[in-house]
Amino acid sequence: MPRTVAPWEIERTLLVKAEDKTNPRYGHKPEERPAEEYIKYGVINLDKPAGPTSHEVAAWVKRILKLQRVGHGGTLEA
């Protein structure tokens, strides 16, 4: 029976097809992006504690971050 190789044991190389620069008027490199932009346009990965409902947690995030719209994708229940 052949031995299977674990994914972390496979040596991988990064293939770069082209190098280019981003015009700052159109965005930022991820490592240089301000936290405000992540909040405005991004996603928050949240590990919801047991007890409060998904809607309650979404309301808390909305209030804490002073956002106009907040939603969640799917269920947040364990």
Side-chain angles (χ1 to χ4, degrees):
M1 179 185 239
R3 178 181 178 263
T4 59
V5 179
W8 56 86
E9 293 177 344
I10 299 172
E11 185 174 333
R12 301 173 193 274
T13 58
L14 179 63
L15 174 63
V16 178
K17 291 188 174 186
E19 292 284 340
D20 206 355
K21 294 185 180 182
T22 300
N23 185 328
R25 294 184 344 195
Y26 302 113
H28 299 87
K29 294 180 182 176
E31 63 273 7
E32 296 171 359
R33 186 168 293 131
E36 293 80 15
E37 283 194 19
Y38 278 113
I39 293 169
K40 185 173 181 180
Y41 301 113
V43 173
I44 297 173
N45 188 7
L46 177 73
D47 185 10
K48 185 186 86 57
T53 67
S54 304
H55 294 287
E56 285 177 305
V57 174
W60 295 343
V61 169
K62 183 178 177 180
R63 186 179 67 236
I64 291 167
L65 298 178
K66 298 180 176 113
L67 300 172
Q68 292 180 355
R69 295 181 300 175
V70 171
H72 64 81
T75 181
L76 299 178
E77 307 307 323

